[in-house]
Amino acid sequence: MITVNALSEVAALMGDPARAAMLSLLMDGRAHTASDLAITAGITAQTASGHLSRMVEGNLLAARAQGRNRFYRLASSDVAHAIESLMALAGTRATPASRTAAWRRDPDLRFCRTCYDHLAGQVGIAVTDSLTQHGYLEPKGPRDWKLTQPGELFCERLGVDLPGARQASSRHFARQCLDWSERRPHISGALGAAIADTFFKRGWAERLRRSRTVRLTDSGRRALGSHFGATV
Amino acid sequence: MITVNALSEVAALMGDPARAAMLSLLMDGRAHTASDLAITAGITAQTASGHLSRMVEGNLLAARAQGRNRFYRLASSDVAHAIESLMALAGTRATPASRTAAWRRDPDLRFCRTCYDHLAGQVGIAVTDSLTQHGYLEPKGPRDWKLTQPGELFCERLGVDLPGARQASSRHFARQCLDWSERRPHISGALGAAIADTFFKRGWAERLRRSRTVRLTDSGRRALGSHFGATV
DNA sequence: TTGATGCTTCGGCTGCCGCCGAACCATTGA
DNA sequence: TCAATGGTTCGGCGGCAGCCGAAGCATCAA
């Protein structure tokens, strides 16, 4: 069966520590330079170059040249979801030595991070829960959400770029994405990305360099309370 | 970050051709003997033994001794879902040589297979669609379904072991599982397994040995029409 | 008890793959 | 044009991990 080989090839591509470190950084959804990825993985530029070209060849990454730099990003949100599902598995692996799951040791990452291009972790869940509890978001089908009329008004007041989000016709508008640390769905898709953008633009959250971890600012914490009625 | 290592370890465990072949066989949800798995992977018993103990150690598999034999099965449905998500990735990898996705080359597998312990593929989707269209199944939350009152009656008439399914309190009753070939959700969980059992018990479907592929019998094809109002 | 079967452990071989140094190409800026 | 910077290609080294043969335990059937 051909699918077996394909399975092992994809898995093997993710199964090297250096490549996994790069993929983990790229889970922030942004594009990073080859040298940036090399430093993150703790290897030389030429070794990283080999890894990167292999991952492009394997359709895990997409590359874009810009001047002297070469930027790499995840090829698709499917790749991000596959990585998340593996991380969910890794998180439940209770080692006999310490029964503490791996993600528990990184509380900041668990608190708030980017998942591809939208917010995840406790903050991502808090935002999503608020939207559904206020009736702004309703489940639609197995893996999507519907933004209700009041929900549209709410987003507009918040400054979310709804027209821009709808314009990205090639991707899902409001998608459910399983959160690997909270093990519940949060909002992703074009709307999820637009909401995350709003958080960054209004100074409610800051990306930490070289990490998926996101820091919630003081004003962000206040905004969660006043706009979303949530405390984290 | 510790999660990075955990990610690469899990992925590497799936990234070996022999182990991937074993995992693929175990995706039928049943337990298989060590020698059976060795033959499937095309390696000797002692080599397989090493692979199997590593996968047990890595919490991918669970082992159970029975007489002289030792049976291995997937440790949890989480493992099955992670493998499915990787297969979904592998399926979309269009090689430049042939733009045909891998699963297209195995139409039987795409038509009907077991996913862990329930039906997947076109038949799994047809059954699920029929249940939802008749109002027997309603979406409940992001990843579950609710079996309605008419749905319970329908299942009882069909001979599905509902009490037995409800008894498995440790697992989800009616879960949504994303089908990697159809890319839509089908019914899984205890109810999904019970429905699949009914198909096998009533001779509507037959497992092909050493494969996830399931053959729909003639009576099964008729049953799909008469009971589910579906044609495949 | 004896032999057959299923599985595992041990030891040693082999090949692959990740790694780096060195050299090379491309872009930028002076 | 020349130096500096970012990336890739090439060649060779070293270690790990997958593989098997041989031997060692269990279990079952006589």
Side-chain angles (χ1 to χ4, degrees):
Chain A
M1 206 189 317
I2 293 173
T3 51
V4 175
N5 265 330
L7 167 66
S8 73
E9 280 170 20
V10 171
L13 224 38
M14 299 179 176
D16 174 79
R19 287 195 291 265
M22 295 178 177
L23 288 171
S24 187
L25 172 58
L26 291 167
M27 282 294 285
D28 68 357
R30 290 180 292 180
H32 293 261
T33 63
S35 40
D36 205 359
L37 290 162
I39 293 170
T40 303
I43 52 180
T44 58
Q46 60 268 34
T47 304
S49 177
H51 284 309
L52 290 168
S53 53
R54 284 186 60 182
M55 288 195 281
V56 169
E57 175 70 16
N59 284 105
L60 290 189
L61 302 185
R64 174 173 51 89
Q66 186 172 311
R68 272 188 299 210
N69 293 309
R70 211 168 150 82
F71 286 86
Y72 290 88
R73 60 175 176 78
L74 295 187
S76 69
S77 59
D78 281 348
V79 177
H81 283 133
I83 293 173
E84 283 271 327
S85 82
L86 281 177
M87 281 185 169
L89 249 195
T92 57
R93 297 200 324 155
T95 54
S98 96
R99 298 190 52 77
T100 315
W103 50 261
R104 280 198 181 277
R105 302 201 198 106
D106 197 339
D108 291 340
L109 190 71
R110 195 190 161 206
F111 177 66
C112 191
R113 65 180 179 277
T114 46
C115 171
Y116 196 49
D117 56 6
H118 52 271
L119 294 178
Q122 291 176 21
V123 172
I125 292 290
V127 166
T128 305
D129 283 354
S130 167
L131 292 175
T132 54
Q133 282 167 16
H134 285 87
Y136 298 154
L137 224 48
E138 288 175 355
K140 184 182 93 178
R143 291 192 59 189
D144 287 276
W145 266 303
K146 172 181 165 44
L147 187 64
T148 64
Q149 199 72 22
E152 291 197 12
L153 286 174
F154 175 77
C155 284
E156 281 167 10
R157 275 204 312 273
L158 212 61
V160 175
D161 180 20
L162 280 183
R166 293 201 197 282
Q167 197 177 314
S169 57
S170 68
R171 68 182 297 193
H172 291 264
F173 177 66
R175 193 81 164 157
Q176 300 185 13
C177 177
L178 185 62
D179 195 291
W180 63 261
S181 59
E182 303 295 310
R183 304 188 76 73
R184 293 171 49 208
H186 56 240
I187 175 82
S188 69
L191 178 59
I195 291 174
D197 278 347
T198 306
F199 268 72
F200 293 126
K201 274 189 191 147
R202 298 191 63 164
W204 293 347
E206 295 170 350
R207 299 173 187 268
L208 268 62
R209 62 207 159 84
R210 284 202 186 133
S211 155
R212 310 171 58 187
T213 307
V214 168
R215 196 181 73 82
L216 194 68
T217 63
D218 286 340
S219 70
R221 207 170 283 269
R222 284 195 299 273
L224 263 189
S226 58
H227 292 290
F228 294 89
T231 54
V232 287
Chain B
M1 207 189 313
I2 293 172
T3 51
V4 175
N5 264 330
L7 167 65
S8 73
E9 281 170 19
V10 172
L13 223 40
M14 300 179 175
D16 174 79
R19 286 195 294 265
M22 295 179 178
L23 289 171
S24 188
L25 173 58
L26 291 167
M27 282 294 284
D28 69 357
R30 290 180 292 180
H32 293 260
T33 62
S35 39
D36 204 0
L37 291 162
I39 292 169
T40 303
I43 53 181
T44 59
Q46 60 268 35
T47 304
S49 177
H51 284 309
L52 290 168
S53 54
R54 283 186 62 182
M55 287 194 281
V56 169
E57 174 71 17
N59 283 107
L60 289 189
L61 301 185
R64 174 173 51 87
Q66 185 173 310
R68 272 189 297 209
N69 293 309
R70 211 168 150 83
F71 286 85
Y72 291 88
R73 61 175 175 80
L74 295 188
S76 69
S77 59
D78 280 348
V79 177
H81 283 134
I83 293 173
E84 283 270 328
S85 81
L86 280 177
M87 281 186 169
L89 250 195
T92 57
R93 296 199 325 154
T95 53
S98 97
R99 298 188 52 79
T100 314
W103 50 260
R104 279 198 182 279
R105 302 200 197 106
D106 197 338
D108 290 340
L109 191 71
R110 194 190 162 204
F111 177 66
C112 191
R113 65 180 178 276
T114 45
C115 171
Y116 196 47
D117 56 5
H118 52 271
L119 293 178
Q122 291 174 21
V123 172
I125 292 290
V127 167
T128 305
D129 284 355
S130 167
L131 292 175
T132 54
Q133 281 166 17
H134 286 87
Y136 298 155
L137 225 48
E138 288 175 355
K140 185 183 92 178
R143 292 193 57 188
D144 286 276
W145 266 304
K146 173 182 165 45
L147 187 65
T148 63
Q149 198 72 23
E152 291 198 12
L153 286 174
F154 174 77
C155 284
E156 281 167 12
R157 274 204 313 275
L158 212 62
V160 175
D161 180 21
L162 279 184
R166 292 200 198 281
Q167 198 176 313
S169 58
S170 68
R171 67 181 298 194
H172 292 263
F173 177 66
R175 193 82 164 156
Q176 300 185 13
C177 177
L178 184 63
D179 196 289
W180 64 260
S181 59
E182 302 297 309
R183 303 189 78 73
R184 293 172 48 209
H186 55 240
I187 176 79
S188 69
L191 179 59
I195 291 173
D197 278 347
T198 306
F199 268 71
F200 294 125
K201 273 188 191 149
R202 299 192 62 164
W204 293 348
E206 296 170 350
R207 300 173 186 269
L208 268 63
R209 60 207 159 86
R210 288 209 182 127
S211 156
R212 310 173 56 188
T213 307
V214 168
R215 195 180 74 83
L216 194 68
T217 63
D218 286 340
S219 70
R221 207 171 284 269
R222 284 195 298 274
L224 264 189
S226 58
H227 291 289
F228 295 90
T231 54
V232 286

